Amino acid sequence: MPDLARVSSPPVSEPVVIELRGVRAGYDGRTVIDNVDLTVRRGEFVALVGANGAGKSTLLKVIVGLLRPYEGSVSVLGSAPGTSARRLAYLPQAETVHWDYPLRVEDVVLMGRVAHAGPGRGPSSVDRDAARSALGRVQADDLMQRPIQALSGGQRQRILLARTLASDPELLLLDEPATGVDPATEEQLMSLLGDLASHGRTVLVSTHDLASVMAHFPRVLAMNGGIVADGDASILRDDAILRRTYGGHRPGAPQHIADEHHA
Amino acid sequence: MRAILLTAALALGAATLTACGLGGNGNPQILATTTILADMAKQVAGDRMTVGSIVPAGAHVEEYEPRPDDARRMSEAKLVITNGLDLDKWVEPLLRNAKTATPVITVTDGLPDIAGNPHMWFDPALSRGYVLKIRDALIALDPPGRDVYMLSAEKYSLQLLTLEAELKAKVDTIPPERRKLVTSHDAFPYFARAFGFEIVGFAEPEPGKPPSAGELAKLVEEVRSANVPAIFSEAGGSAQLAETVAKETGAKVVTDLPTDSLLDRPADSYIGLMRVVVDKIVAALK
Amino acid sequence: MPDLLEPLQYAFVQRALLAAVLVALVCASVGVFVVLRGLAFLGDAIAHAAFPGVVIAFLVKINIVIGGSIAAVASALAIGAVARRSGLKEDTAIGVVFSGMFAIGIVLFSSIRTYTGDLLGILFGDVLGVSADQLMVAAITAAVVLVALWIIWRQLVFVSFDPIGAAAAGLSTVRYDTLLLGLIGLAIAVSVQIVGVVLVVAMLVTPAATARLLAQDLRALVVGALLVAVLSSVAGIWLSYYINAASGGTIVLVATTLFGLVWTGRTIARSRVAAA
């Protein structure tokens, strides 16, 4: 696994993969995010940060096509959201998954290939190879036949990630993929995702771990009811931005504490 | 919420439809439990009294479930006629709640029964016993009508005598070895004794209770060994079981055999019903 | 020892066995999803809600499996819609709707006063009255259900396991849920003849629940459910012949006993492991 601390931003000549203009979205009539303008190009590796309820998941769902915005335009992979489902992969926050089902890890990873398959066809050898290699990339190939009921939280996250990888997507959207995962595994996940980005996939990740963001991500979106700031990792050292993002709460990022004394 | 309202509306609609189906039966002065008994009472009472039946035409009597309407009519009636021997067991709660002064007669009282089976009217000789009881009850209820009742009862009894001879003659055309009966429920012992038939079996071990697989198999065996030519399925029920037995044994199926209730013409009177029963049996077994 | 082959010589027993096996296959396979997704209450609701439709089909003398299928599928879709759109807590709305529909069936039935005998058959099954025609229709319906299930199997598993992930992958949760409900409706229609409206939920749930106790993966669950279901059906019909009991109830009783045995065995095995 390449040991990259940070991925550099791709040149501006890369095609636009995600385009949002003036988007307002939410649930049951409530507005969660407003005035969202966003352009993401192919190969970008973007972190979404913000407090709970800031709208990170909402934004991801709008891009995936699970949530239709009240206002604004959305274009994903050149067409309306939801229409390019096969070319993207979405890792939701893991609550709605039924880990008590009698399935093996391989079965779950193969689900990532279902959209590729026609009706009534079982998994092909191509599918199984894709599953095996996806599991390998998350360092879980020894888990292939394990029943999912026996997995730890971190292993579950890796399995779901393998599922998204198995579908070989152009665009990956991950909602807090490092939840319940130990720091070492998290480090590996972020490196893996960064590696995908540098090989032409576009990756958006929402996360709480600001240290990890600063270590890996060339672009950060700070969110709080919309996009508060959009730039490289240095925005996380900006007091004003942090205040607007976290409403005055300052997470203990190492560089930040050092800078605080200079302000 | 909308779904619940829709269901409630549908339920109300169905209830209204049901209510429309009921009612309009008036309050007869003489209330019999079955249409057969009601017909006999009508023959004796003539124009002097109105007669009605609790169980409607075509319905099964033994499994009947009384409605609030029936309780009302019972409390307005001047005379109640029941069959007895558990044919109309369901009438007991109705009687308890009716006016205690209302006279009730049970027409099978004192008549010789076969193992407590209630279907006595299938023997025209015993039916004459029914008629006498009805006549006496009417006279007790309405003494000024005595002469009318005596005359009508006499005439009707004569008709029943003639009927008996007529039916026996028809039955005689069936060869004795083919006089075998298989029906839906155990309704024919008196018929069998009066007209010389053998009851090989019946499908329902109790009225309304379907047979188990084992019981059905036993019936099939009995039908086979007795070489029964036809299986009879009663009116108002499904012919499924009869057809199942018939398929196993090669017998033919005859449906719509009247038993406990009057039907449409020509089975819309007791005499008519008896004729239809015998005609169907003779046609099937000859 | 009674002659165990004795029942088989009767054509009606052969038909009953065939019908019961069809019911077993169809209910167990659909039942896998009923058990995994916790749809037992919904399944029972669909069966009860289909009752007025079955009564109407019976009265108008349409083949009961066809008429029942229309009623059951319509009920399934209606109940699914209620579940999705209800303002009340889901199972309250479903409870009100299905018991109301069942009552409509009872009222309808009792208002037609000349046909009382066959209510028992609709409610509790009338396997001995299965004609060759009815068997044919049941077989075709069962085939439709099994083929449809095979076609959408992987997608249905995905949608059940992870609805949000599946939606994101482009699988319409609404479409697959609706299909599943329709298949449940058809399975119920096939089974009403054998076990009746009241007990059909047992055929959907008990065999799959029994297999779930032991299965480590989905294939084992499906195979186990099918085995338990077929075994229950065959043993149930046989037993009912010798003990003179209603066949539908006997089948369900056998299935329930199997569940009890497996559950007890598993509990004992686990306590031994724990103690060791």
Side-chain angles (χ1 to χ4, degrees), chain A residues 141-167:
Chain A
D141 26 9
D142 56 324
L143 295 179
M144 263 211 9
Q145 292 305 318
R146 178 133 352 145
I148 60 176
Q149 292 146 344
L151 296 177
S152 70
Q155 287 169 330
R156 288 179 181 178
Q157 281 297 105
R158 280 192 279 154
I159 299 312
L160 288 184
L161 184 56
R163 186 181 73 183
T164 60
L165 294 177
S167 62

PDB file of all heavy atoms in Angstrom, chain A residues 141-167:
ATOM      1  N   ASP A 141      -9.217 -10.255   3.171  1.00  0.00           N
ATOM      2  CA  ASP A 141      -9.494 -11.444   2.374  1.00  0.00           C
ATOM      3  C   ASP A 141      -9.625 -12.711   3.201  1.00  0.00           C
ATOM      4  O   ASP A 141     -10.231 -13.681   2.762  1.00  0.00           O
ATOM      5  CB  ASP A 141      -8.495 -11.676   1.234  1.00  0.00           C
ATOM      6  CG  ASP A 141      -7.141 -11.068   1.505  1.00  0.00           C
ATOM      7  OD1 ASP A 141      -6.914 -10.605   2.650  1.00  0.00           O
ATOM      8  OD2 ASP A 141      -6.334 -11.016   0.571  1.00  0.00           O
ATOM      9  N   ASP A 142      -9.102 -12.679   4.422  1.00  0.00           N
ATOM     10  CA  ASP A 142      -9.268 -13.887   5.243  1.00  0.00           C
ATOM     11  C   ASP A 142     -10.691 -13.996   5.803  1.00  0.00           C
ATOM     12  O   ASP A 142     -11.040 -15.007   6.415  1.00  0.00           O
ATOM     13  CB  ASP A 142      -8.251 -13.865   6.401  1.00  0.00           C
ATOM     14  CG  ASP A 142      -8.407 -12.588   7.220  1.00  0.00           C
ATOM     15  OD1 ASP A 142      -8.708 -11.533   6.616  1.00  0.00           O
ATOM     16  OD2 ASP A 142      -8.242 -12.638   8.453  1.00  0.00           O
ATOM     17  N   LEU A 143     -11.494 -12.951   5.587  1.00  0.00           N
ATOM     18  CA  LEU A 143     -12.843 -12.976   6.160  1.00  0.00           C
ATOM     19  C   LEU A 143     -13.907 -13.478   5.194  1.00  0.00           C
ATOM     20  O   LEU A 143     -15.072 -13.505   5.525  1.00  0.00           O
ATOM     21  CB  LEU A 143     -13.243 -11.559   6.605  1.00  0.00           C
ATOM     22  CG  LEU A 143     -12.421 -10.937   7.742  1.00  0.00           C
ATOM     23  CD1 LEU A 143     -12.952  -9.524   8.021  1.00  0.00           C
ATOM     24  CD2 LEU A 143     -12.507 -11.769   8.999  1.00  0.00           C
ATOM     25  N   MET A 144     -13.483 -13.876   4.000  1.00  0.00           N
ATOM     26  CA  MET A 144     -14.472 -14.120   2.945  1.00  0.00           C
ATOM     27  C   MET A 144     -15.645 -15.019   3.333  1.00  0.00           C
ATOM     28  O   MET A 144     -16.790 -14.747   2.983  1.00  0.00           O
ATOM     29  CB  MET A 144     -13.790 -14.746   1.716  1.00  0.00           C
ATOM     30  CG  MET A 144     -13.495 -13.683   0.745  1.00  0.00           C
ATOM     31  SD  MET A 144     -13.463 -13.867  -1.004  1.00  0.00           S
ATOM     32  CE  MET A 144     -14.032 -15.318  -1.583  1.00  0.00           C
ATOM     33  N   GLN A 145     -15.354 -16.113   4.051  1.00  0.00           N
ATOM     34  CA  GLN A 145     -16.439 -17.047   4.348  1.00  0.00           C
ATOM     35  C   GLN A 145     -17.015 -16.838   5.735  1.00  0.00           C
ATOM     36  O   GLN A 145     -17.843 -17.620   6.182  1.00  0.00           O
ATOM     37  CB  GLN A 145     -15.933 -18.493   4.206  1.00  0.00           C
ATOM     38  CG  GLN A 145     -15.608 -18.883   2.780  1.00  0.00           C
ATOM     39  CD  GLN A 145     -16.785 -18.650   1.832  1.00  0.00           C
ATOM     40  OE1 GLN A 145     -17.930 -18.934   2.166  1.00  0.00           O
ATOM     41  NE2 GLN A 145     -16.488 -18.094   0.674  1.00  0.00           N
ATOM     42  N   ARG A 146     -16.589 -15.795   6.410  1.00  0.00           N
ATOM     43  CA  ARG A 146     -17.056 -15.630   7.790  1.00  0.00           C
ATOM     44  C   ARG A 146     -18.505 -15.143   7.799  1.00  0.00           C
ATOM     45  O   ARG A 146     -18.877 -14.274   7.002  1.00  0.00           O
ATOM     46  CB  ARG A 146     -16.155 -14.629   8.517  1.00  0.00           C
ATOM     47  CG  ARG A 146     -16.609 -14.387   9.928  1.00  0.00           C
ATOM     48  CD  ARG A 146     -15.541 -14.425  10.993  1.00  0.00           C
ATOM     49  NE  ARG A 146     -14.239 -14.852  10.643  1.00  0.00           N
ATOM     50  CZ  ARG A 146     -13.152 -14.340  11.190  1.00  0.00           C
ATOM     51  NH1 ARG A 146     -13.259 -13.345  12.044  1.00  0.00           N
ATOM     52  NH2 ARG A 146     -11.970 -14.799  10.874  1.00  0.00           N
ATOM     53  N   PRO A 147     -19.341 -15.681   8.685  1.00  0.00           N
ATOM     54  CA  PRO A 147     -20.705 -15.127   8.819  1.00  0.00           C
ATOM     55  C   PRO A 147     -20.644 -13.698   9.332  1.00  0.00           C
ATOM     56  O   PRO A 147     -19.877 -13.390  10.242  1.00  0.00           O
ATOM     57  CB  PRO A 147     -21.358 -16.046   9.871  1.00  0.00           C
ATOM     58  CG  PRO A 147     -20.503 -17.241   9.970  1.00  0.00           C
ATOM     59  CD  PRO A 147     -19.130 -16.848   9.572  1.00  0.00           C
ATOM     60  N   ILE A 148     -21.459 -12.847   8.776  1.00  0.00           N
ATOM     61  CA  ILE A 148     -21.362 -11.426   9.128  1.00  0.00           C
ATOM     62  C   ILE A 148     -21.761 -11.168  10.567  1.00  0.00           C
ATOM     63  O   ILE A 148     -21.410 -10.139  11.149  1.00  0.00           O
ATOM     64  CB  ILE A 148     -22.213 -10.538   8.185  1.00  0.00           C
ATOM     65  CG1 ILE A 148     -23.691 -10.932   8.246  1.00  0.00           C
ATOM     66  CG2 ILE A 148     -21.675 -10.593   6.778  1.00  0.00           C
ATOM     67  CD1 ILE A 148     -24.573 -10.025   7.419  1.00  0.00           C
ATOM     68  N   GLN A 149     -22.530 -12.125  11.156  1.00  0.00           N
ATOM     69  CA  GLN A 149     -22.914 -11.936  12.552  1.00  0.00           C
ATOM     70  C   GLN A 149     -21.699 -11.936  13.460  1.00  0.00           C
ATOM     71  O   GLN A 149     -21.748 -11.446  14.576  1.00  0.00           O
ATOM     72  CB  GLN A 149     -23.861 -13.058  12.993  1.00  0.00           C
ATOM     73  CG  GLN A 149     -25.192 -12.988  12.317  1.00  0.00           C
ATOM     74  CD  GLN A 149     -25.789 -14.356  12.060  1.00  0.00           C
ATOM     75  OE1 GLN A 149     -25.097 -15.372  12.125  1.00  0.00           O
ATOM     76  NE2 GLN A 149     -27.073 -14.411  11.773  1.00  0.00           N
ATOM     77  N   ALA A 150     -20.576 -12.509  12.970  1.00  0.00           N
ATOM     78  CA  ALA A 150     -19.382 -12.649  13.819  1.00  0.00           C
ATOM     79  C   ALA A 150     -18.385 -11.510  13.617  1.00  0.00           C
ATOM     80  O   ALA A 150     -17.263 -11.586  14.070  1.00  0.00           O
ATOM     81  CB  ALA A 150     -18.710 -13.982  13.525  1.00  0.00           C
ATOM     82  N   LEU A 151     -18.790 -10.470  12.910  1.00  0.00           N
ATOM     83  CA  LEU A 151     -17.829  -9.404  12.615  1.00  0.00           C
ATOM     84  C   LEU A 151     -17.825  -8.310  13.668  1.00  0.00           C
ATOM     85  O   LEU A 151     -18.857  -7.988  14.249  1.00  0.00           O
ATOM     86  CB  LEU A 151     -18.174  -8.745  11.264  1.00  0.00           C
ATOM     87  CG  LEU A 151     -18.070  -9.611  10.017  1.00  0.00           C
ATOM     88  CD1 LEU A 151     -18.520  -8.805   8.812  1.00  0.00           C
ATOM     89  CD2 LEU A 151     -16.648 -10.118   9.829  1.00  0.00           C
ATOM     90  N   SER A 152     -16.656  -7.714  13.868  1.00  0.00           N
ATOM     91  CA  SER A 152     -16.567  -6.552  14.760  1.00  0.00           C
ATOM     92  C   SER A 152     -16.996  -5.309  13.973  1.00  0.00           C
ATOM     93  O   SER A 152     -17.163  -5.349  12.761  1.00  0.00           O
ATOM     94  CB  SER A 152     -15.126  -6.372  15.238  1.00  0.00           C
ATOM     95  OG  SER A 152     -14.336  -5.938  14.146  1.00  0.00           O
ATOM     96  N   GLY A 153     -17.175  -4.199  14.719  1.00  0.00           N
ATOM     97  CA  GLY A 153     -17.617  -2.962  14.068  1.00  0.00           C
ATOM     98  C   GLY A 153     -16.671  -2.527  12.964  1.00  0.00           C
ATOM     99  O   GLY A 153     -17.085  -2.141  11.869  1.00  0.00           O
ATOM    100  N   GLY A 154     -15.385  -2.599  13.247  1.00  0.00           N
ATOM    101  CA  GLY A 154     -14.399  -2.182  12.252  1.00  0.00           C
ATOM    102  C   GLY A 154     -14.421  -3.082  11.032  1.00  0.00           C
ATOM    103  O   GLY A 154     -14.298  -2.629   9.898  1.00  0.00           O
ATOM    104  N   GLN A 155     -14.572  -4.361  11.278  1.00  0.00           N
ATOM    105  CA  GLN A 155     -14.634  -5.299  10.159  1.00  0.00           C
ATOM    106  C   GLN A 155     -15.866  -5.018   9.300  1.00  0.00           C
ATOM    107  O   GLN A 155     -15.809  -5.093   8.073  1.00  0.00           O
ATOM    108  CB  GLN A 155     -14.669  -6.739  10.677  1.00  0.00           C
ATOM    109  CG  GLN A 155     -13.336  -7.204  11.217  1.00  0.00           C
ATOM    110  CD  GLN A 155     -13.449  -8.526  11.956  1.00  0.00           C
ATOM    111  OE1 GLN A 155     -14.477  -8.852  12.542  1.00  0.00           O
ATOM    112  NE2 GLN A 155     -12.363  -9.291  11.938  1.00  0.00           N
ATOM    113  N   ARG A 156     -16.971  -4.677   9.944  1.00  0.00           N
ATOM    114  CA  ARG A 156     -18.179  -4.382   9.176  1.00  0.00           C
ATOM    115  C   ARG A 156     -17.954  -3.203   8.239  1.00  0.00           C
ATOM    116  O   ARG A 156     -18.357  -3.229   7.078  1.00  0.00           O
ATOM    117  CB  ARG A 156     -19.330  -4.045  10.118  1.00  0.00           C
ATOM    118  CG  ARG A 156     -19.842  -5.241  10.856  1.00  0.00           C
ATOM    119  CD  ARG A 156     -20.956  -4.848  11.797  1.00  0.00           C
ATOM    120  NE  ARG A 156     -21.431  -6.024  12.518  1.00  0.00           N
ATOM    121  CZ  ARG A 156     -22.378  -6.002  13.447  1.00  0.00           C
ATOM    122  NH1 ARG A 156     -22.937  -4.855  13.753  1.00  0.00           N
ATOM    123  NH2 ARG A 156     -22.745  -7.089  14.057  1.00  0.00           N
ATOM    124  N   GLN A 157     -17.316  -2.191   8.761  1.00  0.00           N
ATOM    125  CA  GLN A 157     -17.031  -1.027   7.923  1.00  0.00           C
ATOM    126  C   GLN A 157     -16.181  -1.426   6.730  1.00  0.00           C
ATOM    127  O   GLN A 157     -16.437  -0.999   5.601  1.00  0.00           O
ATOM    128  CB  GLN A 157     -16.285   0.044   8.737  1.00  0.00           C
ATOM    129  CG  GLN A 157     -17.181   0.873   9.635  1.00  0.00           C
ATOM    130  CD  GLN A 157     -18.182   1.673   8.848  1.00  0.00           C
ATOM    131  OE1 GLN A 157     -19.354   1.358   8.801  1.00  0.00           O
ATOM    132  NE2 GLN A 157     -17.718   2.708   8.189  1.00  0.00           N
ATOM    133  N   ARG A 158     -15.182  -2.254   6.985  1.00  0.00           N
ATOM    134  CA  ARG A 158     -14.288  -2.643   5.886  1.00  0.00           C
ATOM    135  C   ARG A 158     -15.040  -3.469   4.855  1.00  0.00           C
ATOM    136  O   ARG A 158     -14.815  -3.346   3.648  1.00  0.00           O
ATOM    137  CB  ARG A 158     -13.092  -3.423   6.430  1.00  0.00           C
ATOM    138  CG  ARG A 158     -12.033  -2.501   7.016  1.00  0.00           C
ATOM    139  CD  ARG A 158     -10.751  -3.235   7.293  1.00  0.00           C
ATOM    140  NE  ARG A 158     -10.785  -3.972   8.531  1.00  0.00           N
ATOM    141  CZ  ARG A 158     -10.033  -5.052   8.770  1.00  0.00           C
ATOM    142  NH1 ARG A 158      -9.234  -5.521   7.841  1.00  0.00           N
ATOM    143  NH2 ARG A 158     -10.113  -5.655   9.934  1.00  0.00           N
ATOM    144  N   ILE A 159     -15.931  -4.335   5.329  1.00  0.00           N
ATOM    145  CA  ILE A 159     -16.721  -5.149   4.394  1.00  0.00           C
ATOM    146  C   ILE A 159     -17.579  -4.263   3.511  1.00  0.00           C
ATOM    147  O   ILE A 159     -17.650  -4.458   2.290  1.00  0.00           O
ATOM    148  CB  ILE A 159     -17.630  -6.124   5.175  1.00  0.00           C
ATOM    149  CG1 ILE A 159     -16.815  -7.059   6.018  1.00  0.00           C
ATOM    150  CG2 ILE A 159     -18.544  -6.872   4.244  1.00  0.00           C
ATOM    151  CD1 ILE A 159     -15.682  -7.676   5.270  1.00  0.00           C
ATOM    152  N   LEU A 160     -18.252  -3.292   4.126  1.00  0.00           N
ATOM    153  CA  LEU A 160     -19.096  -2.397   3.331  1.00  0.00           C
ATOM    154  C   LEU A 160     -18.247  -1.602   2.346  1.00  0.00           C
ATOM    155  O   LEU A 160     -18.652  -1.360   1.202  1.00  0.00           O
ATOM    156  CB  LEU A 160     -19.889  -1.452   4.240  1.00  0.00           C
ATOM    157  CG  LEU A 160     -21.026  -2.087   5.039  1.00  0.00           C
ATOM    158  CD1 LEU A 160     -21.789  -1.016   5.810  1.00  0.00           C
ATOM    159  CD2 LEU A 160     -21.977  -2.836   4.124  1.00  0.00           C
ATOM    160  N   LEU A 161     -17.071  -1.238   2.785  1.00  0.00           N
ATOM    161  CA  LEU A 161     -16.182  -0.524   1.869  1.00  0.00           C
ATOM    162  C   LEU A 161     -15.782  -1.436   0.716  1.00  0.00           C
ATOM    163  O   LEU A 161     -15.767  -1.024  -0.445  1.00  0.00           O
ATOM    164  CB  LEU A 161     -14.944  -0.030   2.628  1.00  0.00           C
ATOM    165  CG  LEU A 161     -13.967   0.812   1.800  1.00  0.00           C
ATOM    166  CD1 LEU A 161     -14.681   2.007   1.185  1.00  0.00           C
ATOM    167  CD2 LEU A 161     -12.811   1.279   2.664  1.00  0.00           C
ATOM    168  N   ALA A 162     -15.493  -2.689   1.044  1.00  0.00           N
ATOM    169  CA  ALA A 162     -15.144  -3.637  -0.017  1.00  0.00           C
ATOM    170  C   ALA A 162     -16.290  -3.762  -1.007  1.00  0.00           C
ATOM    171  O   ALA A 162     -16.085  -3.886  -2.214  1.00  0.00           O
ATOM    172  CB  ALA A 162     -14.806  -4.997   0.595  1.00  0.00           C
ATOM    173  N   ARG A 163     -17.528  -3.733  -0.469  1.00  0.00           N
ATOM    174  CA  ARG A 163     -18.684  -3.821  -1.360  1.00  0.00           C
ATOM    175  C   ARG A 163     -18.710  -2.658  -2.334  1.00  0.00           C
ATOM    176  O   ARG A 163     -18.994  -2.822  -3.520  1.00  0.00           O
ATOM    177  CB  ARG A 163     -19.967  -3.866  -0.538  1.00  0.00           C
ATOM    178  CG  ARG A 163     -21.206  -4.112  -1.383  1.00  0.00           C
ATOM    179  CD  ARG A 163     -22.456  -4.114  -0.545  1.00  0.00           C
ATOM    180  NE  ARG A 163     -22.816  -2.781  -0.106  1.00  0.00           N
ATOM    181  CZ  ARG A 163     -23.846  -2.519   0.705  1.00  0.00           C
ATOM    182  NH1 ARG A 163     -24.574  -3.507   1.165  1.00  0.00           N
ATOM    183  NH2 ARG A 163     -24.099  -1.287   1.060  1.00  0.00           N
ATOM    184  N   THR A 164     -18.418  -1.470  -1.833  1.00  0.00           N
ATOM    185  CA  THR A 164     -18.423  -0.328  -2.746  1.00  0.00           C
ATOM    186  C   THR A 164     -17.285  -0.460  -3.763  1.00  0.00           C
ATOM    187  O   THR A 164     -17.453  -0.127  -4.933  1.00  0.00           O
ATOM    188  CB  THR A 164     -18.278   1.012  -1.996  1.00  0.00           C
ATOM    189  OG1 THR A 164     -17.046   1.015  -1.284  1.00  0.00           O
ATOM    190  CG2 THR A 164     -19.409   1.227  -1.037  1.00  0.00           C
ATOM    191  N   LEU A 165     -16.152  -0.977  -3.336  1.00  0.00           N
ATOM    192  CA  LEU A 165     -15.039  -1.134  -4.267  1.00  0.00           C
ATOM    193  C   LEU A 165     -15.340  -2.181  -5.328  1.00  0.00           C
ATOM    194  O   LEU A 165     -14.943  -2.039  -6.482  1.00  0.00           O
ATOM    195  CB  LEU A 165     -13.769  -1.532  -3.499  1.00  0.00           C
ATOM    196  CG  LEU A 165     -13.206  -0.485  -2.554  1.00  0.00           C
ATOM    197  CD1 LEU A 165     -12.007  -1.046  -1.804  1.00  0.00           C
ATOM    198  CD2 LEU A 165     -12.812   0.769  -3.313  1.00  0.00           C
ATOM    199  N   ALA A 166     -16.056  -3.227  -4.913  1.00  0.00           N
ATOM    200  CA  ALA A 166     -16.326  -4.331  -5.847  1.00  0.00           C
ATOM    201  C   ALA A 166     -17.144  -3.875  -7.039  1.00  0.00           C
ATOM    202  O   ALA A 166     -17.067  -4.469  -8.116  1.00  0.00           O
ATOM    203  CB  ALA A 166     -17.051  -5.463  -5.114  1.00  0.00           C
ATOM    204  N   SER A 167     -17.932  -2.833  -6.863  1.00  0.00           N
ATOM    205  CA  SER A 167     -18.743  -2.393  -7.986  1.00  0.00           C
ATOM    206  C   SER A 167     -17.947  -1.512  -8.937  1.00  0.00           C
ATOM    207  O   SER A 167     -18.466  -1.032  -9.937  1.00  0.00           O
ATOM    208  CB  SER A 167     -19.982  -1.647  -7.483  1.00  0.00           C
ATOM    209  OG  SER A 167     -19.603  -0.494  -6.775  1.00  0.00           O
TER     210      SER A 167
END
